[in-house]
Every structure is written in structure tokens, then in C-alpha cells.
């Protein structure tokens, strides 16, 4: 990688405190915890005057050793995984994250078996968009699995989703679905605050 003179780049420190928490919340991430399952999230704010009559050509990551206690690690190889990079207009952070309303189901069909049951249905909902809500680009659909965690089962690009022959343990008398709206900037509410619907039946 060729060196770049300081007259061609600007270094930024990540957002901290309440600023970091606000962007985390808008991104559907934990407000207090920047690292989850080994992945850490950092947010950087670029001043508007730096972008006038400019074109962003490159983003570089710089690893800096800040602790003197790690002197012995100098020269040792390491591996760094770089995840998703998004460039957002700060205005979208001030907008309300879209949310699903009136979640319901039609064409519900149960089939029973000795070891497990199966459910088929069509989920339907609305997602109102106003001037202060960013447009929705798609919807992620989850259901609560055997370990009581939210398991991804599909993505919808319209306000409906067909579930076909989903297996449910025979000793469970309920099933729950979650629909999470995702905005054009890929912002979304956390799953625990997204819209849910539960179906129950007699064992």
C-alpha cells in the first residue's frame, strides 16, 4: 500500500459517550456495549467542510499499540477481520427508525405428528412512512426457536411473508414470530424492541 502524505488524509477518533450510544441505538445495536461476539463497532463523525468539493476514494484502518506492557508483541503476526463499513448522512440518525405495525397472520394451518408439529401461515403487516421516518428497504423475519432465541428464517421485500411447514417441538404449545424493519441506511430497532406475534394452541 503506497504511503499518503498528511495533506491528503485526516485521522478521526471514534465517537464516545452519549454520542456513541445514540448512534448505536439508531443502528439497532446495544447502546452500552460496543463489542459483541468478538465484533466491535466504532463510529466516526466527519465534519461537513471536509467533504465540500471532495470525493472519498479510500478508507484506511490504522492499528496503533497504545499499551507499553505489550512491548514484547512487537513484530509478531496478527489477524484482523474488517466487517461492514457504512457511510451515513447524519440526518438519518435524527429520523425515527421504521417499525412494523398491525402484525397479523392469515391462512394458518397446523399439522400434528408424534415428534414435532408443523405450522404454515402468511404474516402480514403495515409499516407507515412519514417525513420523519426513513423509508424501509426490507424486513427480516425471525421466530423463537427451541433454545428460546430469535432465529432468522427469511427476508421480505413486501409487507407479507409466507411461512411453510415450520417445525415446532410437539411439547410446545406456542410459536412466536418477529418482524424487523430495516431502513435504506440499514438502521433498525433491536430485535427485543421489534414487533412480535405469538400463536398458542392446546397440547
Amino acid at each position: 500500500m503506497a504511503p499518503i502524505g498528511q495533506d491528503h488524509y485526516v485521522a478521526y477518533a471514534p465517537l464516545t459517550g452519549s454520542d456513541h450510544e445514540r448512534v448505536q441505538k439508531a443502528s439497532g445495536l446495544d447502546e452500552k456495549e460496543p463489542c459483541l461476539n468478538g465484533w466491535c463497532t466504532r463510529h466516526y463523525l466527519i465534519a461537513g467542510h471536509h467533504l465540500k468539493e471532495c470525493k472519498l476514494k479510500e478508507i484506511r484502518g490504522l492499528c496503533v499499540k497504545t499499551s507499553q506492557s505489550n512491548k514484547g508483541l512487537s513484530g509478531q503476526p496478527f489477524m484482523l477481520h474488517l466487517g461492514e463499513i457504512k457511510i451515513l448522512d447524519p440526518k438519518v440518525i435524527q429520523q425515527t427508525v421504521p417499525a412494523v405495525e398491525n402484525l397479523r397472520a392469515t391462512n394458518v394451518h397446523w399439522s400434528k405428528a408424534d415428534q414435532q408439529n408443523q405450522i404454515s401461515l402468511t404474516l402480514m403487516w403495515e409499516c407507515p412512512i412519514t417525513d420523519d421516518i426513513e423509508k424501509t428497504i426490507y424486513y427480516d423475519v425471525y421466530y423463537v426457536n427451541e433454545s428460546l432465541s430469535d432465529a432468522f428464517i427469511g427476508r421480505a421485500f413486501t409487507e407479507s411473508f409466507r411461512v411453510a411447514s415450520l417445525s415446532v417441538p410437539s411439547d410446545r404449545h406456542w410459536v412466536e414470530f418477529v418482524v424487523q424493519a430495516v431502513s435504506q441506511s440499514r438502521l433498525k430497532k433491536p430485535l427485543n424492541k421489534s414487533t412480535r406475534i405469538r400463536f398458542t394452541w392446546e397440547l
Side-chain angles (χ1 to χ4, degrees), residues 53 94-95 106 108 149:
E53 300 180 358
Q94 300 175 357
Q95 292 181 302
T106 61
V108 181
S149 59

Side-chain angles (χ1 to χ4, degrees), residues 20 24 27-42 188 190-191:
H20 171 80
Q24 284 283 97
S27 302
L29 302 172
D30 192 305
E31 300 172 36
K32 302 293 184 180
E33 181 54 61
C35 297
L36 181 64
N37 298 326
W39 289 98
C40 295
T41 302
R42 297 289 184 268
K188 54 195 174 184
L191 278 175

Side-chain angles (χ1 to χ4, degrees), residues 109-111 116-121 162-168:
H109 176 71
W110 283 100
S111 60
Q116 62 183 15
N117 300 327
Q118 289 187 335
I119 183 173
S120 298
L121 53 83
R162 179 65 182 171
V163 178
S165 302
L166 178 68
S167 297
V168 181

Side-chain angles (χ1 to χ4, degrees), residues 20-194:
H20 171 80
E21 293 174 8
R22 182 176 181 181
V23 180
Q24 284 283 97
K25 182 178 180 180
S27 302
L29 302 172
D30 192 305
E31 300 172 36
K32 302 293 184 180
E33 181 54 61
C35 297
L36 181 64
N37 298 326
W39 289 98
C40 295
T41 302
R42 297 289 184 268
H43 305 284
Y44 301 83
L45 183 63
I46 302 176
H49 66 271
H50 288 159
L51 302 177
K52 290 183 179 179
E53 300 180 358
C54 295
K55 180 183 292 185
L56 181 63
K57 292 185 176 181
E58 193 172 276
I59 297 176
R60 294 191 179 191
L62 180 65
C63 298
V64 180
K65 183 179 70 174
T66 58
S67 175
Q68 294 298 319
S69 62
N70 291 332
K71 289 182 178 180
L73 298 178
S74 178
Q76 292 189 6
F78 68 95
M79 182 178 294
L80 175 67
H81 295 278
L82 185 63
E84 182 183 32
I85 296 177
K86 293 191 292 188
I87 301 176
L88 300 178
D89 186 335
K91 292 180 181 179
V92 304
I93 299 174
Q94 300 175 357
Q95 292 181 302
T96 302
V97 179
V100 166
E101 297 181 1
N102 192 25
L103 179 57
R104 58 200 185 277
T106 61
N107 303 319
V108 181
H109 176 71
W110 283 100
S111 60
K112 294 186 177 182
D114 294 335
Q115 299 298 324
Q116 62 183 15
N117 300 327
Q118 289 187 335
I119 183 173
S120 298
L121 53 83
T122 301
L123 294 171
M124 303 179 69
W125 59 86
E126 282 90 42
C127 190
I129 301 298
T130 60
D131 292 339
D132 63 338
I133 300 178
E134 190 182 15
K135 185 178 179 181
T136 303
I137 191 170
Y138 57 78
Y139 306 88
D140 285 338
V141 183
Y142 299 78
Y143 90 105
V144 180
N145 61 16
E146 291 80 357
S147 60
L148 301 182
S149 59
D150 297 323
F152 177 77
I153 58 173
R155 177 167 292 172
F157 293 88
T158 61
E159 295 179 342
S160 65
F161 183 83
R162 179 65 182 171
V163 178
S165 302
L166 178 68
S167 297
V168 181
S170 58
D171 59 348
R172 183 192 285 188
H173 68 283
W174 59 270
V175 63
E176 185 171 289
F177 296 94
V178 189
V179 180
Q180 182 185 53
V182 182
S183 74
Q184 285 185 320
S185 300
R186 304 303 192 273
L187 301 182
K188 54 195 174 184
K189 287 189 175 183
L191 278 175
N192 61 358
K193 296 182 180 179
S194 296

